[in-house]
């Protein structure tokens, strides 16, 4: 792609680094910004900078938050004895959108993937085990994507949690194998949460 401006080229290249954004889409976005008022573009840029500089992660569940504890962990309406384990914040949002879950969460920050060099120590697994060991927990729901990495992580978590003598369940496989949680429709995902099953029965 030939550019008439180095500034334009640099901006397009930066946008093209975003997931799912190619050169043509990046160019369209940059040209759109150029057509906006300067104040609007400044506000757009400053919001991204502020996000990166000020965003926090909840000290308890590791969800993205504006403060030390996220709104879900602070809410008195949530069932704190039920912990739903997810890969990242996108999965928290997907499950919240179903309106079928009222417990709290634990965000792992990824999935075990030896091919990508991601091991258990790279995830927030030890803090999950610590939560289960030190707070009253009635159930841990493993709500991870139905992928090879998701199943590997499920099995590892089950081994780490089975000695606590609490139910460890997994969402029902209304989600197709290879499917990402965030892309599941709300009805299917909601039913998968409600009809969760003991994890042990899913590996027999």
């Amino acid at each position: 792609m030939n550019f008439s401006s180095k500034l334009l080229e640099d901006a397009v290249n930066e946008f093209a680094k975003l997931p799912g954004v190619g050169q043509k889409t990046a160019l369209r976005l940059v040209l759109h910004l150029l057509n906006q008022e300067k104040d609007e573009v400044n506000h757009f840029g400053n919001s991204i900078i502020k996000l990166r500089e000020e965003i926090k992660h909840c000290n308890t569940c590791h969800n993205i938050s504006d403060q030390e504890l996220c709104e879900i962990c602070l809410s008195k309406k949530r069932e704190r004895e039920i912990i739903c384990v997810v890969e990242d914040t996108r999965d928290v949002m997907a499950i919240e959108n179903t309106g079928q879950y009222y417990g709290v969460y634990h965000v792992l920050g990824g999935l075990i993937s030896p091919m990508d060099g991601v091991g258990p120590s790279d995830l927030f697994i030890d803090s999950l085990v610590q939560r289960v060991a030190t707070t009253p927990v009635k159930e841990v729901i493993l709500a991870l994507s139905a992928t090879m990495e998701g199943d590997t992580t499920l099995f590892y978590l089950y081994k780490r949690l089975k000695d606590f003598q609490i139910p460890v369940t997994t969402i029902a496989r209304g989600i197709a194998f290879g499917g990402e949680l965030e892309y599941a429709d709300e009805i299917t995902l909601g039913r998968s949460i409600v009809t969760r099953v003991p994890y042990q029965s899913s590996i027999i």
Side-chain angles (χ1 to χ4, degrees):
M1 186 178 292
N2 295 319
F3 295 92
S4 59
S5 163
K6 185 66 167 60
L7 294 173
L8 177 64
E9 181 179 2
D10 289 345
V12 169
N13 287 337
E14 290 303 315
F15 270 90
K17 293 177 183 178
L18 297 173
V21 177
Q23 286 275 319
K24 290 183 179 180
T25 300
L27 176 60
R28 186 165 64 250
L29 293 172
V30 172
L31 292 177
H32 170 77
L33 288 176
L34 283 177
N35 288 326
Q36 303 306 301
E37 294 294 332
K38 187 175 181 180
D39 287 345
E40 292 183 17
V41 178
N42 286 338
H43 179 72
F44 173 81
N46 289 333
S47 67
I48 302 300
I49 294 172
K50 187 175 182 180
L51 169 72
R52 189 64 187 90
E53 291 181 345
E54 299 182 13
I55 199 70
K56 296 179 175 64
H57 287 85
C58 177
N59 287 342
T60 298
C61 73
H62 308 293
N63 191 17
I64 288 176
S65 175
D66 291 338
Q67 48 198 343
E68 300 302 323
L69 293 176
C70 70
E71 293 183 0
I72 294 175
C73 285
L74 286 172
S75 175
K76 296 181 179 179
K77 297 180 180 180
R78 311 297 295 215
E79 298 179 40
R80 301 178 186 279
E81 297 85 5
I82 302 177
I83 300 176
C84 183
V85 181
V86 296
E87 177 183 351
D88 57 32
T89 295
R90 293 171 297 180
D91 297 333
V92 173
M93 296 171 66
I95 293 173
E96 285 296 288
N97 286 337
T98 70
Q100 299 291 319
Y101 178 69
Y102 304 99
V104 293
Y105 293 91
H106 189 90
V107 179
L108 294 175
L111 297 174
I112 296 172
S113 178
M115 292 288 290
D116 297 320
V118 180
S121 62
D122 298 309
L123 308 177
F124 294 115
I125 292 176
D126 287 342
S127 59
L128 170 63
V129 176
Q130 182 71 10
R131 283 181 75 180
V132 174
T134 59
T135 59
V137 176
K138 294 180 180 177
E139 179 185 3
V140 175
I141 306 169
L142 305 178
L144 303 179
S145 297
T147 61
M148 191 66 71
E149 293 80 7
D151 280 354
T152 298
T153 309
L154 281 170
F155 186 64
Y156 180 84
L157 290 174
Y158 173 72
K159 290 196 298 181
R160 291 289 303 272
L161 297 173
K162 66 179 181 179
D163 292 336
F164 288 104
Q165 303 299 315
I166 59 171
V168 177
T169 59
T170 184
I171 56 176
R173 286 303 170 92
I175 312 298
F177 186 80
E180 299 286 349
L181 223 61
E182 63 174 305
Y183 299 123
D185 66 272
E186 294 175 6
I187 294 176
T188 299
L189 183 55
R191 287 174 178 169
S192 295
I193 289 287
V194 172
T195 59
R196 58 188 181 271
V197 298
Y199 176 70
Q200 188 173 10
S201 67
S202 72
I203 59 176
I204 295 177

